[in-house]
Amino acid sequence: MTATVTTDRLTVTTDRLTRVPGLLYGGDWNPEQWPEQVWAEDVKLMAEAGVNLVTVGVFSWARLQPDADSWDFGWLDRLFDLCHRHGVAVDLATATASPPAWLVRAHPELLPVTADGVRLEFGSRQHYCPSSPAYREAAVRLTRALAERYRHHPALALWHIHNEYGDHVQECFCPDSAVDFRRWLRERHGGIEELNRSWGTAFWSQRYTSFEQIEPPRTAPGPVNPTQLLDWRRFCSDALLALHRAEKAVLDEVSPGVPVTTNFMSMLKALDYWEWSRHEDLVSDDAYPDPADPRAHVNAAMNYDLMRSLKGGRPWLLMEQAPSAVSWRPVNVPKRPGLYRLWSLQALARGADGVLHFQWRASVAGAEKFHSAMLPHRGTAARGWQETVRLGAELRRLGEIAGSRLRGRAAVLLDWDSWWALELDDHPSARMRWPELLRPWYAALHERGVTVDFVPPTAGLDGYPLVLAPNLYLLDTATADRLTAYVRDGGRLVCGPFSGIADRHDHIHPGGHPGPLRELLGIVVDEHWPIPDGATTAVRLDGAAPDGPRSDGAEAHAEPHGADLRAERWSEWIETEGAETLARYASGTLAGLPAVTRNRLGAGTAWYLSCHLGADTGRVLDLPLAEAGVGAELPDLPADVEATRRHAADGRQYLFLLNHGGVERRVPLDTPGTDLLTGAATGDAVTLAPLGAAVLRLPAAEERP
Ligand code: GAL
């Protein structure tokens, strides 16, 4: 929702997620689990906590539609009215994530089937085949019934389609899926000969003479055709998206003007969120960082940066987080005092305009009865409730940040197609997994206080002084050409190993790796040299290592004295073709060969890391960061302090300072401001307690002293 506000001084355009003013605060509310008397207490306590948005109906299908021909909306009508009377807006779910027993028994074919042919039973949730006509018809019918009934209700602020597509069921191998897969393949490839070429079916006698011969990639005796698997990944994302779009079309038709979202699951392999987010009015995310992991906030920051990036920097909504412990890890550690607040502020720091939870009131029955809630089992005497009330009050103080935006100082390329292809079987190493390749790059940037945006391979890169591509295994020539043009025009690209390998059919680019990146990077790969588990290869940064490879395999992976960095998982035997060598392998068979290179092309520069440097990645990234002039949001940022800056349309800035460490930190400031959390004016520094935070309003440049 974009609102234009005209004041006597200027006209500003703000992005509002919904018509609810300020930041959004609340959670999933499952009132059907409780007698209605409890609802009255719920709304009273919501007011006390400052809750202004609740998500209802997520798992209400069986209650809303007791059988094929009857509906029970009375309870939801009363709930809507109750919410409205108490000033709580409703995010109404379409309730389609858990089909009821009567539907499943009438249409047993809608239950999903695994690759081994096992049909999954009713009794949990998300038990549906994404391609089932029976499921889709029933889901669309329910969506229409809800939309027609509540479209004009004044409490309705947001539509919430389904719930976490791809959480439990990402693919189904049943006959309905086979039919849908063939339809999808026909659309993609046109004819069977095109498919044969794309899938390389000359290999192992896999040639098809008709689409009818094709099945989903069920469990087979040996390795399955990789392009079939890649098309399957694409199809599965599209099949779920088609379901989502069917519901979205109904909401757009029947309830225009009310924004629509579905809750994403952070960086999820199964769904191409670039494609999905085109069909969202706003992006929302569910995030469950593990309180037992001292670095969980780094991963969370990465996911939040992605969520912000999916709609080009527009504010997004944290749709679900746990107020304290979850119930689905082997050991579910609660959030120690202060962590819930800090992690909530972190989502805002990275562009969210609201913090919602799973769930409002803790369940007493069912699989999630040990999951924390805003209102714990102990009730208002619980520590958790005090934190709920405190955070609500703080979010009200932060209301003015709604609609302000962040912009990354560098871009990270993320391509689901490449991710899927990278992780197919029978590669030189099964250890090349996208999240594990990306994480150390992101962690290095996070540690240096650099905010990044994620961008799809089709993105215009012009505004970014630096683009990072931790891996581009699958790369079509059009994207390679765009990257080359970006560098020629003065851009800086840093590319990670095992890139430029395959085209979009997962066929190897001819003429040597890295295929279409060869000229841009000024190198050629002679052979991939994966590093065995547990071993490392030394890499020396100054390029001063002796020339030439070793023939002495016996010393492979032993680290000689003086080596600077350690490569793990992966290395490559590369030769330069115009690039200069910045670092060389310093142990093992590749000792003396280039490990990190830099190539000047046109007005720009392209770096290549031929190995995975894990925790040492940042020491190489420092070079391009310095050349590109990309630095931290604040200079002299102490360890463990995260700093981001949101910009308002009127020129004000909101500087978030979050101390993720266990030690008090003093953060020097270049501009004094006002801490919105305390109302206090700051001097030339802010002191943050362990797990402490400050959100500083900094005046617009022209208002600064
Ligand atoms: C989410 C889901 C919620 C609830 C929550 C528990 O994945 O959307 O319904 O199950 O996890 O952490």
Side-chain angles (χ1 to χ4, degrees):
M1 239 166 228
T2 303
T4 301
V5 184
T6 305
T7 69
D8 49 353
R9 291 187 50 237
L10 73 174
T11 300
V12 295
T13 302
T14 46
D15 276 316
R16 285 212 177 290
L17 296 185
T18 69
R19 58 172 180 71
V20 181
L23 297 172
L24 302 172
Y25 187 50
D28 279 25
W29 182 22
N30 293 301
E32 65 271 46
Q33 295 175 14
W34 301 93
E36 292 195 21
Q37 308 82 283
V38 177
W39 303 359
E41 189 195 20
D42 282 322
V43 286
K44 190 177 121 298
L45 292 175
M46 283 175 194
E48 194 178 321
V51 165
N52 56 11
L53 184 70
V54 287
T55 303
V56 296
V58 177
F59 295 107
S60 304
W61 193 341
R63 178 79 194 267
L64 289 167
Q65 193 183 8
D67 60 53
D69 301 312
S70 44
W71 301 95
D72 177 6
F73 290 121
W75 66 276
L76 191 53
D77 293 351
R78 292 191 290 283
L79 189 94
F80 255 86
D81 293 346
L82 185 70
C83 285
H84 186 52
R85 281 201 302 280
H86 289 82
V88 177
V90 173
D91 165 33
L92 183 58
T94 58
T96 52
S98 202
W102 59 261
L103 179 63
V104 170
R105 296 308 174 219
H107 291 280
E109 80 281 3
L110 69 70
L111 289 170
V113 173
T114 67
D116 291 331
V118 175
R119 200 173 273 282
L120 301 177
E121 240 313 339
F122 178 83
S124 176
R125 62 177 174 182
Q126 285 203 356
H127 38 270
Y128 63 89
C129 157
S131 298
S132 161
Y135 168 73
R136 183 190 297 208
E137 195 189 314
V140 166
R141 190 168 167 230
L142 173 62
T143 302
R144 183 172 290 277
L146 284 165
E148 284 174 348
R149 190 156 189 107
Y150 297 104
R151 61 183 153 178
H152 296 312
H153 199 288
L156 179 67
L158 181 64
W159 284 105
H160 179 297
I161 294 186
H162 198 90
N163 191 65
E164 289 191 344
Y165 284 98
D167 178 14
H168 303 301
V169 172
Q170 302 181 339
E171 55 188 359
C172 169
F173 297 80
C174 78
D176 279 343
S177 295
V179 169
D180 203 21
F181 187 39
R182 288 181 206 121
R183 175 202 55 77
W184 185 94
L185 291 170
R186 274 196 196 89
E187 277 171 22
R188 183 175 177 89
H189 296 286
I192 197 70
E193 281 316 322
E194 285 81 3
L195 178 138
N196 278 312
R197 272 197 296 281
S198 169
W199 286 16
T201 56
F203 183 80
W204 283 356
S205 185
Q206 289 172 353
R207 185 179 156 71
Y208 296 97
T209 53
S210 130
F211 279 95
E212 294 311 309
Q213 296 163 351
I214 300 173
E215 295 291 336
R218 301 198 181 96
T219 305
V224 171
N225 182 308
T227 316
Q228 180 182 2
L229 289 171
L230 179 57
D231 269 354
W232 177 252
R233 292 263 70 80
R234 293 166 171 150
F235 160 74
C236 290
S237 179
D238 284 358
L240 283 167
L241 180 57
L243 269 183
H244 174 267
R245 291 181 64 185
E247 291 193 27
K248 174 79 162 53
V250 171
L251 297 174
D252 286 348
E253 175 206 324
V254 181
S255 179
V258 180
V260 181
T261 190
T262 188
N263 42 349
F264 287 168
M265 297 180 68
S266 300
M267 201 174 287
L268 181 72
K269 179 178 171 184
L271 305 184
D272 178 350
Y273 281 154
W274 292 123
E275 182 56 28
W276 276 69
S277 54
R278 295 201 306 116
H279 304 283
E280 305 301 302
D281 295 335
L282 63 95
V283 165
S284 62
D285 188 42
D286 295 354
Y288 290 94
D290 186 354
D293 173 2
R295 308 300 298 160
H297 61 282
V298 180
N299 221 31
M302 184 177 83
N303 291 327
Y304 299 161
D305 284 350
L306 173 62
M307 291 303 131
R308 183 187 69 250
S309 303
L310 287 173
K311 276 212 172 286
R314 287 199 56 198
W316 57 282
L317 175 61
L318 181 59
M319 182 63 87
E320 287 183 25
Q321 67 163 349
S324 189
V326 298
S327 54
W328 40 261
R329 293 195 171 100
V331 177
N332 298 298
V333 174
K335 290 180 177 166
R336 61 192 183 283
L339 196 61
Y340 164 58
R341 169 185 187 250
L342 183 70
W343 284 4
S344 302
L345 293 175
Q346 189 193 20
L348 303 178
R350 296 200 169 264
D353 268 4
V355 175
L356 274 62
H357 304 80
F358 182 84
Q359 63 178 330
W360 161 252
R361 182 186 276 273
S363 299
V364 291
E368 295 183 323
K369 57 184 173 294
F370 289 110
H371 198 289
S372 62
M374 297 174 82
L375 180 59
H377 290 139
R378 189 182 166 198
T380 55
R383 173 182 76 89
W385 174 251
Q386 309 310 320
E387 299 232 13
T388 297
V389 173
R390 179 175 174 210
L391 183 64
E394 294 202 318
L395 294 190
R396 283 199 295 281
R397 277 180 234 139
L398 297 178
E400 67 181 72
I401 73 163
S404 59
R405 289 176 173 225
L406 288 85
R407 182 166 164 86
R409 298 182 164 218
V412 177
L413 276 172
L414 164 56
D415 179 8
W416 262 267
D417 234 22
S418 184
W419 182 355
W420 294 329
L422 171 73
E423 298 189 4
L424 291 170
D425 294 336
D426 303 293
H427 280 194
S429 166
R431 304 289 175 254
M432 297 294 271
R433 300 310 229 208
W434 165 253
E436 286 153 48
L437 299 186
L438 166 66
R439 260 183 220 128
W441 290 55
Y442 186 87
L445 297 161
H446 189 267
E447 197 182 315
R448 285 156 180 75
V450 176
T451 306
V452 292
D453 293 337
F454 284 90
V455 293
T458 49
L461 301 170
D462 288 348
Y464 295 105
L466 181 66
V467 174
L468 304 153
N471 177 265
L472 285 174
Y473 165 85
L474 184 152
L475 183 69
D476 58 27
T477 44
T479 305
D481 289 348
R482 246 195 323 278
L483 291 173
T484 305
Y486 162 76
V487 171
R488 274 190 202 286
D489 292 347
R492 295 168 193 87
L493 172 75
V494 189
C495 190
F498 203 35
S499 288
I501 304 297
D503 66 12
R504 66 195 173 89
H505 306 291
D506 195 29
H507 296 192
I508 301 286
H509 285 294
H513 315 303
L517 295 176
R518 190 164 159 182
E519 192 200 338
L520 169 60
L521 299 174
I523 59 113
V524 64
V525 179
D526 185 75
E527 208 169 359
H528 298 131
W529 218 272
I531 300 173
D533 291 347
T536 59
T537 299
V539 171
R540 187 169 294 135
L541 248 181
D542 57 14
D547 283 327
R550 299 173 70 107
S551 56
D552 174 8
E555 284 187 43
H557 315 301
E559 186 189 355
H561 180 70
D564 295 321
L565 317 173
R566 283 163 181 274
E568 56 193 56
R569 288 170 198 259
W570 189 265
S571 59
E572 288 169 3
W573 183 312
I574 67 170
E575 289 165 20
T576 53
E577 296 179 327
E580 53 184 310
T581 299
L582 301 182
R584 288 175 191 271
Y585 292 104
S587 71
T589 312
L590 305 188
L593 288 176
V596 179
T597 60
R598 176 172 57 191
N599 194 37
R600 308 279 186 203
L601 189 79
T605 313
W607 284 260
Y608 184 58
L609 278 64
S610 70
C611 50
H612 181 70
L613 286 166
D616 288 337
T617 304
R619 293 180 56 195
V620 168
L621 295 186
D622 279 335
L623 304 169
L625 284 167
E627 262 194 53
V630 172
E633 289 296 337
L634 263 192
D636 306 322
L637 211 52
D640 296 324
V641 175
E642 181 172 334
T644 66
R645 216 179 273 268
R646 291 181 65 150
H647 298 262
D650 63 1
R652 282 180 181 181
Q653 295 178 10
Y654 299 102
L655 180 66
F656 281 75
L657 299 171
L658 311 172
N659 181 8
H660 294 281
V663 179
E664 184 179 282
R665 298 287 184 193
R666 184 173 182 277
V667 185
L669 298 173
D670 44 15
T671 315
T674 305
D675 186 350
L676 296 179
L677 294 171
T678 61
T682 64
D684 59 357
V686 167
T687 300
L688 301 173
L691 303 188
V695 182
L696 307 184
R697 183 208 292 132
L698 306 179
E702 68 272 13
E703 293 169 6
R704 290 186 192 164

